[in-house]
Amino acid sequence: MSISLSSLILLPIWINVAQMQQGGPDEKEKTTALKDLLSRIDLDELMKKDEPPLDFPDTLEGFEYAFNEKGQLRHIKTGEPFVFNYREDLHRWNQKRYEALGEIITKYVYELLEKDCNLKKISIPVDATENEPKSFIFMSEDALTNPQKLMVLIHGSGVVRAGQWARRLIINEDLDSGTQIPFIKRAMDEGYGVIVLNPNENYIEVEKPKTHVQSSSDSSDEPAEKRERKDKVSKETKKRRDFYEKYRNPQREKEMMQLYIRENGSPEEHAIYVWDHFIAQSAAENVFFVAHSYGGLAFVELMIQREADVKSKVTAVALTDSVHNVWHQEAGKTVREWMRENCCNWVSSSEPLDTSVESMLPDCPRVSAGTDRHELTSWKSFPSIFKFFTEASEAKTSSLKPAVTAALAPNKARGAVSAGGARGRRSVTHSERAPLAGAPSPARGPFFLPPLPPRYLTDAAGAGRGRRRRRRRGAPDRAPRAAVSSGP
């Protein structure tokens, strides 16, 4: 009896099911079962299942695709959007084709950053030797010299690289929603310097050196006849295993090894490195971050590691569906307090843009990005983010100390509100859940500070100490910053 090609697909599943039913066989039993299954493979049928070569074009034109005037990827001849299932029943080949196109898209976006956005490509580490693995970031000409404003962009995890929010959006939607280019162009139009981080470029891949393994039977003391019998069985089993591997991986790809980039081996390391060598050295009085998904986690880690420096330079942070967690990352009370006053997280939600969204984490306000699609949160919150930054900048530069209104006086008497602070904004206890100053109208939904577990309710009591320390350092009192409302 032979195993058909269609049944061969289920081979790994059969083995796993057998293990569960038998309570998990030992290695010898698993090897025996696998040999038995391999011995019944229909080799002739297997040989017919040859996968097309994994040899794909290295240009968009080679793929017969191009971006139209709307920034949409379309087939040159048919005008149709990208088709993933180019060949039926060849999912692996289609996936490899998609990945090859993705690499071209990455290079295409790099070109746009340099040519359309006039950014410079800066190699890191800054002191790398000629043969050392390197990465890079992008910067505007005035990124380090602009005395007023600097915007820093951090994308999320995965295959995306500098200048991208989501490869899927670039391929299936358009360049505006999938790249950081609209943010960069508007920032430059409004007088910001710009730095674009590249946190997923953590290593380079090189082919593994081939190693020669000497056969154990060469030095065996077994009789020649017995050794020949074993070798014959071993060769037959190896032949069938190779054919099975040919089905699973028809075109055996090169084995690669990763060489990590010094001080940039993770998104968190990368953010800290760029801060130390670029952002911290910039002349900008106001630094603003836009961080998507895992980029938010990288920023929080930067905040934890460089707390004093970040507080002294960063005016506001816009997070888009950030995956940070102040408990898991062990962010201290002072970090959480700063985030409550200076950060806002636009999260995936079906609610209208800027509607308050509840959170169980005691860090920063969460508002709706106006979409329930994670990858679209940066694009959908685009106008609100710039309004948020403008209001934060105006609040910081204002020399007026906010007056406590009559409406707030009763709360102040109970200790819920205190004027002043590093940013001149109110400090509100979680127990009273008061809306932030300047919050949107009830129709849009007010910002509410997230609830704290009972054991953390005492955190608010230490806020005054932090303010006193800042006043001793000479930090000016500033006017309150209005909460974000939806832009045009």
Side-chain angles (χ1 to χ4, degrees), residues 218-236:
D218 292 346
S219 58
S220 174
D221 295 331
E222 294 177 335
E225 183 179 348
K226 185 175 180 182
R227 191 163 62 242
E228 287 176 4
R229 276 199 312 271
K230 286 181 65 177
D231 287 346
K232 183 178 180 180
V233 173
S234 177
K235 287 177 182 178
E236 186 65 24

Side-chain angles (χ1 to χ4, degrees), residues 359-371:
S359 172
M360 293 303 295
L361 293 176
D363 45 31
C364 58
R366 288 159 46 99
V367 295
S368 173
T371 178

Side-chain angles (χ1 to χ4, degrees), residues 208-216 218:
K208 273 187 178 180
K210 295 181 180 179
T211 56
H212 175 70
V213 180
Q214 185 177 8
S215 173
S216 59
D218 292 346

Side-chain angles (χ1 to χ4, degrees), residues 324-339:
H324 72 275
N325 187 301
V326 291
W327 297 141
H328 293 167
Q329 295 180 258
E330 299 183 352
K333 181 180 66 175
T334 54
V335 169
R336 301 194 303 272
E337 289 173 349
W338 187 90
M339 290 182 66

Side-chain angles (χ1 to χ4, degrees), residues 266-483:
S266 69
E268 297 91 325
E269 282 188 5
H270 177 77
I272 293 172
Y273 185 89
V274 176
W275 174 273
D276 289 344
H277 293 82
F278 298 95
I279 304 171
Q281 311 302 324
S282 68
E285 181 181 351
N286 298 284
V287 176
F288 303 86
F289 275 79
V290 182
H292 174 62
S293 192
Y294 200 89
L297 185 149
F299 172 79
V300 172
E301 189 62 28
L302 168 65
M303 178 76 193
I304 293 170
Q305 299 297 328
R306 301 288 187 271
E307 181 178 349
D309 293 340
V310 169
K311 286 180 176 179
S312 69
K313 287 192 72 74
V314 177
T315 300
V317 180
L319 306 172
T320 58
D321 226 8
S322 173
V323 298
H324 72 275
N325 187 301
V326 291
W327 297 141
H328 293 167
Q329 295 180 258
E330 299 183 352
K333 181 180 66 175
T334 54
V335 169
R336 301 194 303 272
E337 289 173 349
W338 187 90
M339 290 182 66
R340 281 197 289 269
E341 292 189 352
N342 299 275
C343 301
C344 183
N345 191 7
W346 278 264
V347 299
S348 53
S349 168
S350 58
E351 296 295 325
L353 179 64
D354 295 331
T355 302
S356 176
V357 177
E358 295 289 345
S359 172
M360 293 303 295
L361 293 176
D363 45 31
C364 58
R366 288 159 46 99
V367 295
S368 173
T371 178
D372 55 8
R373 293 176 59 185
H374 169 73
E375 66 272 18
L376 268 173
T377 51
S378 297
W379 174 237
K380 291 295 186 180
S381 55
F382 173 74
S384 293
I385 288 174
F386 276 88
K387 188 171 184 180
F388 174 60
F389 287 167
T390 299
E391 293 173 347
S393 182
E394 291 173 352
K396 182 178 178 181
T397 56
S398 173
S399 60
L400 297 176
K401 187 173 180 179
V404 179
T405 65
L408 293 177
N411 286 334
K412 185 182 181 185
R414 292 195 300 269
V417 180
S418 59
R423 295 284 182 247
R425 285 186 287 279
R426 298 181 295 117
S427 177
V428 188
T429 62
H430 283 274
S431 57
E432 296 197 9
R433 302 183 52 75
L436 295 178
S441 64
R444 299 293 296 168
F447 286 112
F448 283 103
L449 293 180
L452 275 172
R455 65 182 181 278
Y456 296 109
L457 290 177
T458 57
D459 286 356
R465 292 193 295 274
R467 288 193 295 275
R468 286 193 293 274
R469 284 195 295 271
R470 288 192 287 271
R471 281 199 290 270
R472 283 199 295 272
R473 291 197 296 267
D477 290 318
R478 301 178 179 97
R481 179 177 64 195

